Amino acid sequence: MSYMVLARKTRPRNFSEMVGQEHVVQALTNALTQQRLHHAYLFTGTRGVGKTTVSRILAKSLNCTGPDGQGGITATPCGVCPACTEIEAGRFVDYTELDAASNRGVDEVQGLLEQAVYKPVQGRFKVFMIDEVHMLTNTAFNAMLKTLEEPPEYLKFVLATTDPQKVPVTVLSRCLQFNLRPMAPETVVEQLARVLGAEQVPAEPQALRLLARAARGSMRDALSLTDQAIAFGAGQVLEATVRQMLGSVDRGVVFGLIAALAAGDGKAVVEQSERLRADGLSAATTLEDMAAVLQRMAVLQAVPGMAQGDTDPDAQEIARLAAQLPADETQLLYSLCIHGRAELGLAPDEYAGLTMVLLRLLPFKQPAAATAEKKTLKRAEAPPPESEPVPVPDADGGDFAPPGAGPADQPPDDWGEPAEPTAPTAPTAPTHPPLRPVPVREPAAPQGYESNRAPAPASTAPAATDTVAVKVREAADEPAPLRAAPAPEPRPVSATGEGDFWHALVQALVAREAITALVRELALQAQLVARAGDEWTLRIERESLGNPGVRERLQAALAEAGHAVRLRVEVGAVADSPSRRNAIAAAQRMKAAESLLMADPFVQEMVRDFGAKIVPGSIKPL
């Protein structure tokens, strides 16, 4: 006894057995019941969604005579009359199926249309069903246009295609078009459960979900995969065997990768990727499964109530990850996964590409402000060149050197050696104010400066009061000091009571590091406009800062600080924000530091005696 595959064995025989195409079934049922029949129908949709099945059921409905042979056109064919049984068996003389993929020329179409002049032999209507009609040539389409527009009253055309864009508009305009949609995974799971229950094949629900996802909306593909799973599992459809058959990645691995990315653990990500390499699992499938999980996480983050009533065993783990990973990082990781699939072919191997796609999220988790601060500190703490006897002023403005001082500017030997610093004869240098930062290293005393303070031997040194004896380069020979662009003046602030409260609150949150990255920027750039009960209104100038995920994280930080409020963000002109107040305070501190430094006696002496200049932008207040 030959075995019939499930896709053929379980093919629907009437409209009531069809699943997932209720919109088509309802339209055809009403048309058959009211006798409002079109002469040409066009069914479109992807493979395995029921185009040929609908065509055969429609042909049976038009030609059914009922069990007693007295029936007429009906939406519920009996399935036992000669017309129903012969159409089901494919030998009804008045029902013709033409495969346009192999019969696409004008001669084949003309041979079919020659039969149109003859009335039905057994049935009530002649039905011409042309499958994959988009494969016909232009000449074949033109040959059937006239008959398709005005066929005899006993002739019905049924066209089916998976690519309606290739069908000429002249044909589309002559047909009643129905689009059969891909079936939802839940619909496929329910149908597979009914089929396997009738076949008395034990199956696990999670295995059916895997088969439904692999079918991608095609019921025929789902039934074919189920046949394969039954054979692979020796009469059982189990999750482990189905996952092995499909090469799917275990959900535990997917959840582990997302959890490691949420925690910023790059080592765990690399280890999981190597585990996939060792198991020989597909990197593209991994990214696809991760994207599916991230999509459900994003839905839960946007609509928390969606998790209620979910019977999927993975729902609890997905809800936990949704609470662990911020909403903006979820969106970013989803985008990386779906775009990373296209990059796998460009990588040295797909597992290296998978690792790089996943590790790409980790740099985004570092706050941009902290990174910029680190770079600024590195520039400020760069040691001066070793070849210069006097250190070049660093970014803190700690030391000053005479212009052009260096190895080439040593005084001649006949100037004499400087006196010992233990017995100076010149007045001691004034004490520097405590504002000056501690220098990086002890500078070497310039010889010209000491010769002006301590007298050299009488045979070589001039008098201490003779200022002409100091060796100084001409101004024209000195290189121009580097000048930094002056800092822009901060915008004025229209101080308000709400601004005072908001500035103090934001400064406290920043000091405790309760807010970072985009959340901190939103708080610093926003102006507190009003507080009405448990609702606060913030105003921002840049709409990009008003991301719902960032707003929710700021709202959570405020709740932890004792302000359980709901934030409302509007876009407009900002007159008072913490960032503006901080900028004005920083500018005031800078001006005070510059004034104090310029009044320092040591600085004045260096400028007067050696022509030293302060590099603009090198002063930083403590």
Side-chain angles (χ1 to χ4, degrees), residues 393-398 400 435 437 484 487 586 589-598 603 613-622:
D394 61 6
D396 292 333
F400 299 90
L435 178 65
R589 291 195 302 270
M590 176 63 72
K591 289 182 180 179
E594 290 176 351
S595 301
L596 187 59
L597 192 61
M598 293 303 298
V603 175
K613 297 180 181 180
I614 299 176
V615 178
S618 63
I619 302 175
K620 284 190 176 181
L622 294 179

Side-chain angles (χ1 to χ4, degrees), residues 427-449:
T428 58
T431 303
H432 302 290
L435 178 65
R436 295 183 66 247
V438 178
V440 178
R441 60 186 177 89
E442 193 65 24
Q447 296 181 6
Y449 175 75

Side-chain angles (χ1 to χ4, degrees), residues 211-236:
L211 294 173
R213 282 197 294 265
R216 300 184 181 275
S218 172
M219 184 61 72
R220 183 174 61 217
D221 289 2
L223 292 171
S224 299
L225 289 174
T226 303
D227 264 324
Q228 183 179 353
I230 294 173
F232 190 82
Q236 294 181 337

Side-chain angles (χ1 to χ4, degrees), residues 409-494:
D409 299 320
Q410 298 292 341
D413 294 336
D414 58 353
W415 282 23
E417 296 295 327
E420 293 295 328
T422 56
T425 58
T428 58
T431 303
H432 302 290
L435 178 65
R436 295 183 66 247
V438 178
V440 178
R441 60 186 177 89
E442 193 65 24
Q447 296 181 6
Y449 175 75
E450 290 294 331
S451 64
N452 191 30
R453 288 175 174 261
S459 59
T460 58
T465 58
D466 189 3
T467 59
V468 181
V470 178
K471 183 68 174 180
V472 181
R473 276 191 177 184
E474 295 294 332
D477 297 334
E478 299 177 6
L482 297 177
R483 295 184 178 271
E489 290 292 332
R491 292 188 291 176
V493 170
S494 301

